[in-house]
Amino acid sequence: MKVMVVDDEELSLEKIKEQVESFDFVTEVAAFNNPIHAIDALKISAFDVAILDIEMFHIDGIELAKQCKCICPTIKIIFLTGYSNYAVKAFKVRASGYLLKPASDEEIKEELLHIQTVNVPTSTVNIQIQTFGNFEVFINRKPIKFERTKAKELLAYLVSRKGAYVNGDELLSILYEDRPVTASTKSQLRSIISSLFKSLRSSGADGLVLKRRNQYAVDTTLFACDYYEFLKGNVEVINSFMGEFMSNYAWAEFITGYLENTLIDRK
């Protein structure tokens, strides 16, 4: 789920952004203290939800909601404001939620989960992940094109972790094993993660990678994977393993050894 937060009070904006980022079903959060900048961003990239303050400079939240829906008709609106007297106007623009500040984590999470439940897409994509041999991801049998090779490697590592969350420092140690953790490498990691989300989104696989407070994981319920089937004991998949696992990545060698030993034990 991609969420946009708009509030012209900087402290409030940062607080709400931190709250939303803590939810593992949220893949991206963009925060804006200027409604005009939010509109410009929406013209470039669609968002699932906009959490809007109402009394703001430049454009009030009600008008901003109207413009957001004109640009992106599927976007859902949640108003988060310090005033209760705008509720009638809010629901006239078909807002999905109306919360009063300060809203708790649970209140915001409940509103977002409700939107996620009622907004399940009718069309689905078939995601297949290949780990035997080279690592590849297929959407409806077509390979995803990644803008950056490191973004593809990052996804491969998350797949190897089988849904466990991985923090930024661990990802840096995998992607840049010979380099110390610095401000520069952290910046590069942010760019790689952004590129990964962009590639997945453009391929129809938005939601494949989950995010929470500098931690990332794959949603293992969204795809089929030969590695996972091997671990489940699928005989056909086990017999297809030819001794190569994500052979384009050196860090995968220890898993290759594990799979080979598993084959020996079965004989």
Side-chain angles (χ1 to χ4, degrees):
M1 177 182 286
K2 291 182 60 183
V3 180
M4 168 186 291
V5 180
V6 187
D7 194 318
D8 62 355
E9 296 179 8
E10 196 64 40
L11 291 177
S12 177
L13 181 67
E14 286 302 313
K15 172 62 176 176
I16 299 166
K17 181 175 183 288
E18 288 179 3
Q19 289 176 293
V20 176
E21 284 180 332
S22 70
F23 307 141
D24 57 11
F25 56 88
V26 174
T27 58
E28 184 178 336
V29 183
F32 303 93
N33 60 10
N34 187 325
I36 295 173
H37 294 163
I39 291 170
D40 291 339
L42 193 58
K43 290 176 181 177
I44 298 172
S45 178
F47 284 80
D48 300 304
V49 183
I51 299 177
L52 310 178
D53 190 15
I54 292 183
E55 290 197 356
M56 297 185 289
F57 291 108
H58 306 293
I59 303 173
D60 69 70
I62 302 295
E63 178 59 30
L64 176 59
K66 294 177 182 177
Q67 294 194 35
C68 286
K69 282 187 170 291
C70 285
I71 298 168
C72 181
T74 60
I75 197 168
K76 305 299 181 183
I77 305 295
I78 296 174
F79 288 109
L80 181 49
T81 177
Y83 305 92
S84 60
N85 55 309
Y86 290 103
V88 174
K89 289 184 178 180
F91 289 108
K92 282 185 178 180
V93 295
R94 298 183 180 180
S96 297
Y98 191 98
L99 297 173
L100 292 177
K101 294 179 180 178
S104 68
D105 291 3
E106 282 304 312
E107 287 175 315
I108 297 174
K109 185 176 183 179
E110 183 178 347
E111 291 293 337
L112 292 174
L113 284 175
H114 175 70
I115 288 172
Q116 187 179 51
T117 301
V118 301
N119 198 37
V120 175
T122 55
S123 62
T124 58
V125 294
N126 180 14
I127 306 176
Q128 299 278 339
I129 294 184
Q130 170 190 302
T131 63
F132 295 173
N134 287 339
F135 174 78
E136 295 292 347
V137 182
F138 299 90
I139 306 293
N140 296 331
R141 300 185 179 182
K142 295 182 179 180
I144 289 182
K145 294 182 179 179
F146 294 89
E147 291 183 344
R148 302 180 64 164
T149 57
K150 288 292 185 184
K152 184 177 181 179
E153 183 177 1
L154 189 156
L155 178 59
Y157 185 70
L158 294 181
V159 169
S160 78
R161 293 300 306 276
K162 300 173 291 183
Y165 275 91
V166 181
N167 63 37
D169 287 347
E170 183 176 343
L171 290 174
L172 281 172
S173 70
I174 291 296
L175 299 176
Y176 300 103
E177 56 181 341
D178 297 325
R179 296 173 59 181
V181 176
T182 64
S184 176
T185 55
K186 287 182 178 180
S187 176
Q188 290 179 52
L189 178 61
R190 288 193 294 271
S191 297
I192 290 168
I193 291 170
S194 177
S195 175
L196 174 58
F197 279 124
K198 181 179 178 182
S199 295
L200 293 176
R201 187 164 55 249
S202 64
S203 300
D206 196 14
L208 182 60
V209 175
L210 305 174
K211 174 185 176 183
R212 68 179 187 193
R213 293 188 182 275
N214 194 37
Q215 293 184 314
Y216 305 88
V218 288
D219 185 341
T220 59
T221 67
L222 297 183
F223 61 91
C225 177
D226 48 7
Y227 175 39
Y228 297 175
E229 289 300 309
F230 184 106
L231 297 177
K232 290 177 184 177
N234 186 317
V235 176
E236 183 178 351
V237 175
I238 290 172
N239 291 336
S240 71
F241 178 63
M242 304 301 292
E244 293 186 337
F245 175 84
M246 296 191 189
S247 52
N248 33 349
Y249 307 123
W251 51 259
E253 291 178 359
F254 78 97
I255 300 179
T256 306
Y258 168 78
L259 296 177
E260 288 175 338
N261 289 334
T262 301
L263 281 179
I264 293 172
D265 292 341
R266 289 178 61 89
K267 293 180 180 179

Coordinates of all heavy atoms in Angstrom, one line a residue, residues 165-168 210-217:
Y165 N 12.0 -10.5 8.2 CA 12.4 -9.1 8.0 C 13.9 -8.9 8.1 O 14.6 -9.5 8.9 CB 11.7 -8.2 9.0 CG 10.3 -7.8 8.5 CD1 9.2 -8.5 8.9 CD2 10.1 -6.7 7.7 CE1 7.9 -8.2 8.5 CE2 8.9 -6.3 7.3 CZ 7.8 -7.1 7.7 OH 6.5 -6.7 7.3
V166 N 14.5 -8.1 7.2 CA 15.9 -7.8 7.2 C 16.1 -6.3 7.3 O 15.4 -5.5 6.6 CB 16.5 -8.3 5.8 CG1 18.0 -8.0 5.8 CG2 16.2 -9.8 5.6
N167 N 17.0 -5.9 8.2 CA 17.2 -4.4 8.3 C 18.2 -3.9 7.3 O 18.9 -4.6 6.6 CB 17.7 -4.1 9.8 CG 19.0 -4.7 10.2 OD1 19.9 -4.8 9.4 ND2 19.1 -5.1 11.4
G168 N 18.3 -2.6 7.3 CA 19.2 -1.9 6.3 C 20.7 -2.3 6.4 O 21.3 -2.4 5.4
L210 N 7.5 -6.0 1.6 CA 6.9 -5.3 2.7 C 7.9 -4.5 3.4 O 9.1 -4.8 3.4 CB 6.3 -6.3 3.8 CG 5.3 -7.4 3.2 CD1 5.0 -8.4 4.3 CD2 4.1 -6.7 2.7
K211 N 7.5 -3.4 4.0 CA 8.4 -2.4 4.7 C 7.9 -2.0 6.0 O 6.7 -1.7 6.2 CB 8.6 -1.2 3.8 CG 9.5 -0.1 4.4 CD 9.5 1.1 3.5 CE 10.3 2.2 4.2 NZ 10.3 3.5 3.4
R212 N 8.8 -1.9 7.0 CA 8.4 -1.4 8.3 C 9.7 -0.8 9.0 O 10.7 -1.5 9.1 CB 7.8 -2.4 9.2 CG 8.7 -3.5 9.7 CD 8.0 -4.5 10.6 NE 8.9 -5.4 11.2 CZ 8.6 -6.6 11.8 NH1 7.3 -6.9 11.9 NH2 9.5 -7.4 12.3
R213 N 9.8 0.4 9.3 CA 10.9 1.0 10.0 C 12.3 0.5 9.6 O 12.9 -0.2 10.4 CB 10.7 0.9 11.5 CG 9.5 1.7 12.0 CD 9.4 1.7 13.5 NE 8.3 2.4 14.0 CZ 8.2 3.7 14.3 NH1 9.3 4.4 14.0 NH2 7.1 4.3 14.7
N214 N 12.7 0.7 8.4 CA 14.0 0.3 7.9 C 14.2 -1.2 7.9 O 15.3 -1.7 8.0 CB 15.1 1.0 8.8 CG 16.5 0.8 8.1 OD1 16.6 0.9 6.9 ND2 17.5 0.6 8.9
Q215 N 13.1 -1.9 7.8 CA 13.2 -3.4 7.7 C 12.3 -3.8 6.5 O 11.3 -3.2 6.2 CB 12.6 -4.1 9.0 CG 13.5 -3.9 10.2 CD 13.0 -4.6 11.4 OE1 11.8 -4.6 11.7 NE2 13.9 -5.3 12.0
Y216 N 12.8 -4.9 5.8 CA 12.1 -5.3 4.6 C 12.0 -6.8 4.6 O 12.8 -7.5 5.1 CB 12.9 -4.8 3.4 CG 13.2 -3.3 3.4 CD1 14.3 -2.8 4.1 CD2 12.2 -2.4 2.8 CE1 14.5 -1.4 4.1 CE2 12.4 -1.1 2.9 CZ 13.5 -0.6 3.5 OH 13.7 0.8 3.6
A217 N 10.9 -7.3 3.9 CA 10.7 -8.7 3.8 C 9.8 -8.9 2.5 O 9.2 -8.0 2.0 CB 10.0 -9.3 5.0

